[in-house]
């Protein structure tokens, strides 16, 4: 990999740039965060924002390597073995520190102890892990998952899960008897008494589910415009998790459009969004969310320009959304996922992401984006045409405001009235700010922009801009 390829990559969960050797505590935090997560690479000798190779002195490379090795050995626990290499191009030299995903988490900074010294990667930053995340790391070391843990609050004999029994019967044509519950690891024996796992609680309609997992729900909303300020419709889905994805999908169907085009002698109907991809994204959100994170729910938001699905918990380290066409399968919830496969809700062979990628090819007008935001994972299905239309409208409004201000000064409210708006819109505020930044309009009272008599006037630069536009039209 040459320096140009390195610089083209954005900092993130698996990549960090440093201009020089970080201080001991910062380096130790980055190393344990990489080890606790998906692994990563630290490049030393690259300036951030903008990315630029400043390089390290060739004479200092060996000394810096020794410092790095010593810090990792003395400050990080359990033992982490780094792969440290020197990279050179011309007269510039870098150090690359590669850290692999650890097998014995949680890794932590010795001086701070496990409770305060365990860090994980969240985007391009290191974040101190709380007790829930440390618990998840402990389970990963034992190859266990949160949904497999026993719940001793109530024995199976007292648990209500009749709705799930019926769903299981309808979907599989089999009874959810004790043998099936044991095979699916939804129950466990403790001294001769059968108790449910966290997974069975989530599938149940027992009051215990609402008590332990009141946050295990989906909040659906259709917003007016492109911001989450005004609701058109909203719904809270707090059923057992086997039914949540389908209810959320039906909410989406109610709020998107289906059009028709004529091809030859046939009329072809088509939804404005790729439905299979959206349904799969919602199902993934339910199946793979982190149920150990308290107080966080799944959110399905519909705006004029996109559909956005947010799920608590980060991606499993082995899943790469940038390689969607490859078949990938890694279940965070090792009990819930097989049950969903048994119910036919998700695919058994890791085809989910490939299905999304395949359908997106049929929707070139939809842009698919994904990101990790905080301790959540988010996907967006964005209308490209809507964005283009907004840009064209903004350009049109940009010139219209200049024309209005050619022979008079107006306040923000007066401008909105001239434009036929019932109230000052967010779009108008953005364009006014842009016009001021571009020095095409200015405040009439520049020393007090919040003055009640404040108005806007066109500048000489603004008049020149209008003349150029007029000449181009001719």
């Amino acid at each position: 990999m040459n320096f140009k390829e390195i610089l083209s990559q954005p900092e993130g969960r698996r990549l960090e740039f440093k201009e020089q050797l970080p201080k001991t505590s910062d380096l130790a935090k980055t190393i344990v965060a990489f080890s606790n997560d998906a692994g990563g690479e630290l490049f030393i000798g690259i300036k951030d924002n903008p990315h630029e190779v400043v390089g390290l002195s060739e004479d200092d490379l060996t000394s810096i390597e020794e410092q790095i090795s010593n810090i990792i050995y003395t400050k990080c626990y359990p033992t982490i073995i780094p792969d440290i290499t020197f990279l050179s191009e011309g007269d510039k030299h870098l150090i690359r520190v590669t850290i692999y995903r650890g097998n014995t988490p949680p890794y932590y900074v010795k001086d701070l102890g496990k409770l305060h010294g365990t860090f994980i990667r969240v985007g391009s930053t290191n974040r101190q892990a709380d007790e829930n995340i440390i618990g998840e790391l402990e389970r990963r070391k034992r190859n266990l998952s949160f949904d497999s843990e026993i719940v001793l609050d109530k024995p199976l004999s007292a648990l209500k899960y009749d709705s799930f029994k019926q769903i299981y019967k309808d979907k599989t044509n089999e009874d959810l008897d004790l043998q099936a519950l044991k095979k699916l690891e939804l129950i466990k024996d403790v001294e001769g008494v059968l108790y449910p796992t966290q997974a069975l609680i989530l599938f149940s309609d027992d009051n215990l589910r609402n008590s332990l997992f009141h946050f295990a729900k989906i909040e659906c909303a259709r917003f007016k415009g492109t911001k989450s300020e005004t609701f058109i419709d909203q719904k809270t889905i707090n059923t057992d998790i086997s039914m949540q994805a389908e209810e959320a999908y039906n909410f989406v169907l109610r709020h998107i459009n289906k059009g028709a085009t004529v091809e030859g002698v046939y009329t072809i109907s088509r939804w404005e969004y790729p439905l299979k991809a959206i349904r799969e994204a919602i199902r993934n959100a339910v199946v793979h969310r982190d149920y150990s994170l308290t107080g966080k729910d799944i959110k399905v938001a519909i705006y004029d320009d996109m559909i956005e699905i947010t799920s608590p918990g980060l991606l499993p380290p082995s899943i790469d959304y940038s390689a969607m066409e490859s078949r990938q399968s890694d279940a965070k919830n090792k009990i819930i996922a097989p049950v969903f496969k048994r119910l036919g809700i998700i695919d058994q062979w890791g085809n989910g992401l490939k299905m999304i990628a395949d359908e997106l090819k049929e929707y070139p007008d939809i842009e698919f984006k994904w990101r990790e935001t905080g301790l959540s994972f988010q996907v967006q299905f964005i209308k490209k045409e809507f964005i283009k239309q907004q840009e064209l409208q903004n350009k049109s409004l940009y010139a219209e405001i200049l024309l209005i201000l050619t022979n008079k000064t107006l306040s923000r409210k007066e401008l909105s009235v001239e434009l036929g708006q019932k109230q000052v819109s967010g779009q108008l505020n953005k364009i006014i700010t842009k016009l001021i930044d571009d020095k095409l309009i200015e405040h009439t009272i520049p020393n007090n922009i919040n003055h009640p008599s404040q108005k806007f006037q066109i500048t000489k630069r603004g008049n020149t801009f209008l003349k150029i536009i007029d000449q181009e039209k001719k």
Side-chain angles (χ1 to χ4, degrees):
M1 183 183 294
N2 59 39
F3 285 7
K4 187 176 180 180
E5 291 172 327
I6 294 169
L7 293 175
S8 67
Q9 302 176 84
E11 282 191 296
R13 188 174 177 183
R14 299 177 175 89
L15 182 65
E16 186 161 316
F17 296 133
K18 291 295 180 185
E19 187 172 349
Q20 56 192 3
L21 180 67
K23 63 182 183 180
T24 299
S25 60
D26 288 343
L27 177 62
K29 290 173 184 177
T30 298
I31 299 303
V32 299
F34 278 152
S35 296
N36 282 325
D37 198 55
E41 291 182 319
L42 168 64
F43 287 90
I44 302 173
I46 296 179
K47 181 182 179 181
D48 189 24
N49 196 26
H51 293 160
E52 178 186 347
V53 176
V54 294
L56 301 169
S57 169
E58 188 173 9
D59 296 335
D60 294 337
L61 293 178
T62 302
S63 171
I64 295 173
E65 178 191 23
E66 291 175 355
Q67 291 180 65
I68 294 168
S69 297
N70 186 54
I71 290 170
I72 294 174
Y73 180 76
T74 60
K75 298 295 182 181
C76 304
Y77 186 84
T79 301
I80 298 170
I81 308 297
D83 183 3
I84 305 174
T85 54
F86 301 153
L87 302 175
S88 298
E89 196 171 290
D91 61 347
K92 297 290 180 69
H93 307 281
L94 300 177
I95 289 180
R96 177 174 60 192
V97 183
T98 303
I99 301 297
Y100 300 100
R101 183 188 185 194
N103 294 319
T104 56
Y107 293 88
Y108 56 90
V109 180
K110 282 184 185 178
D111 297 346
L112 300 175
K114 184 191 294 186
L115 187 60
H116 301 292
T118 301
F119 291 84
I120 59 168
R121 292 291 285 185
V122 177
S124 59
T125 63
N126 303 317
R127 179 176 294 187
Q128 184 179 336
D130 61 19
E131 291 186 32
N132 288 331
I133 294 172
I134 293 172
E136 182 62 30
L137 291 169
E138 294 277 12
R139 285 189 290 272
R140 197 182 87 195
K141 178 170 64 177
R142 303 193 302 273
N143 197 31
L144 299 174
S145 59
F146 173 76
D147 62 337
S148 70
E149 291 184 341
I150 303 172
V151 179
L152 299 174
D153 299 59
K154 184 179 288 189
L156 177 67
S157 58
L159 189 75
K160 296 179 181 178
Y161 59 105
D162 293 338
S163 296
F164 180 54
K165 277 184 181 179
Q166 188 59 52
I167 290 169
Y168 189 85
K169 177 72 173 178
D170 294 342
K171 297 288 186 180
T172 67
N173 203 30
E174 296 175 5
D175 292 324
L176 189 65
D177 53 20
L178 287 179
Q179 184 178 352
L181 289 169
K182 288 177 181 178
K183 187 177 180 180
L184 292 168
E185 298 184 66
L186 290 169
I187 58 173
K188 292 185 179 179
D189 189 307
V190 179
E191 297 181 352
V193 179
L194 294 174
Y195 287 93
T197 58
Q198 305 276 22
L200 185 54
I201 298 298
L202 286 161
F203 282 117
S204 76
D205 40 42
D206 196 276
N207 289 333
L208 188 58
R209 174 171 60 82
N210 295 326
S211 174
L212 297 178
F213 297 106
H214 58 88
F215 52 86
K217 62 185 190 301
I218 303 181
E219 292 290 348
C220 300
R222 173 63 170 103
F223 294 102
K224 182 180 180 181
T226 58
K227 294 184 178 180
S228 53
E229 295 172 350
T230 306
F231 289 97
I232 293 175
D233 188 19
Q234 60 185 122
K235 181 177 182 179
T236 298
I237 300 170
N238 53 9
T239 62
D240 80 78
I241 62 172
S242 68
M243 298 186 289
Q244 288 184 359
E246 200 63 19
E247 287 198 29
Y249 173 71
N250 288 332
F251 180 88
V252 171
L253 286 182
R254 290 204 307 271
H255 292 286
I256 62 174
N257 298 319
K258 188 176 186 180
T261 57
V262 178
E263 295 184 10
V265 296
Y266 300 101
T267 300
I268 308 297
S269 61
R270 172 186 168 95
W271 290 93
E272 61 179 324
Y273 286 101
L275 290 190
K276 290 179 183 176
I278 287 170
R279 179 184 242 166
E280 186 64 25
I282 295 173
R283 287 173 170 178
N284 283 343
V286 177
V287 176
H288 300 301
R289 68 155 288 175
D290 190 339
Y291 288 97
S292 71
L293 294 177
T294 58
K296 294 180 179 292
D297 50 39
I298 295 170
K299 287 183 169 54
V300 176
I302 306 170
Y303 302 91
D304 285 358
D305 61 335
M306 70 172 171
I307 294 175
E308 183 179 83
I309 301 162
T310 307
S311 179
L314 303 178
L315 272 181
S318 63
I319 297 295
D320 184 0
Y321 258 68
S322 60
M324 290 175 63
E325 295 201 18
S326 61
R327 290 176 171 83
Q328 304 177 67
S329 181
D330 187 356
K332 179 181 291 184
N333 297 306
K334 299 183 185 300
I335 308 302
I336 291 172
V339 174
F340 269 65
K341 288 174 183 175
R342 192 78 187 86
L343 296 174
I345 296 174
I346 63 171
D347 182 85
Q348 190 169 359
W349 304 104
N351 286 325
L353 290 184
K354 189 175 186 307
M355 183 193 300
I356 293 174
D358 288 346
E359 196 183 16
L360 284 167
K361 291 175 184 175
E362 300 175 16
Y363 280 80
D365 51 331
I366 297 294
E367 180 182 6
F368 180 77
K369 286 186 176 181
W370 64 272
R371 63 174 180 161
E372 289 172 318
T373 170
L375 290 175
S376 296
F377 180 71
Q378 186 177 87
V379 298
Q380 296 173 331
F381 297 86
I382 304 168
K383 293 179 183 175
K384 294 179 184 177
E385 198 58 38
F386 185 90
I387 294 172
K388 288 179 183 176
Q389 290 172 0
Q390 286 292 102
E391 289 173 351
L392 288 172
Q393 287 176 11
N394 286 346
K395 287 179 181 177
S396 175
L397 194 57
Y398 192 83
E400 190 174 353
I401 290 171
L402 287 176
L403 285 169
I404 291 171
L405 293 176
T406 301
N407 298 311
K408 53 187 169 184
T409 61
L410 294 173
S411 67
R412 198 177 297 262
K413 178 64 178 174
E414 288 168 341
L415 261 175
S416 70
V417 172
E418 286 277 341
L419 291 165
Q421 298 180 353
K422 293 180 180 179
Q423 58 186 16
V424 178
S425 66
Q427 184 187 23
L428 176 59
N429 284 328
K430 283 183 182 178
I431 293 173
I432 288 174
T433 301
K434 182 80 168 70
L435 286 165
I436 292 171
D437 290 343
D438 291 343
K439 295 181 172 56
L440 300 180
I441 66 172
E442 62 188 5
H443 294 98
T444 55
I445 309 173
N447 296 328
N448 185 1
I449 60 173
N450 294 318
H451 194 282
S453 299
Q454 184 66 263
K455 296 191 177 186
F456 301 100
Q457 62 189 13
I458 194 168
T459 63
K460 289 182 179 179
R461 182 184 174 95
N463 280 313
T464 303
F465 180 80
L466 283 177
K467 287 177 183 177
I468 291 171
I469 292 176
D470 190 51
Q471 289 170 2
E472 287 178 350
K473 288 179 180 178
K474 294 176 180 178

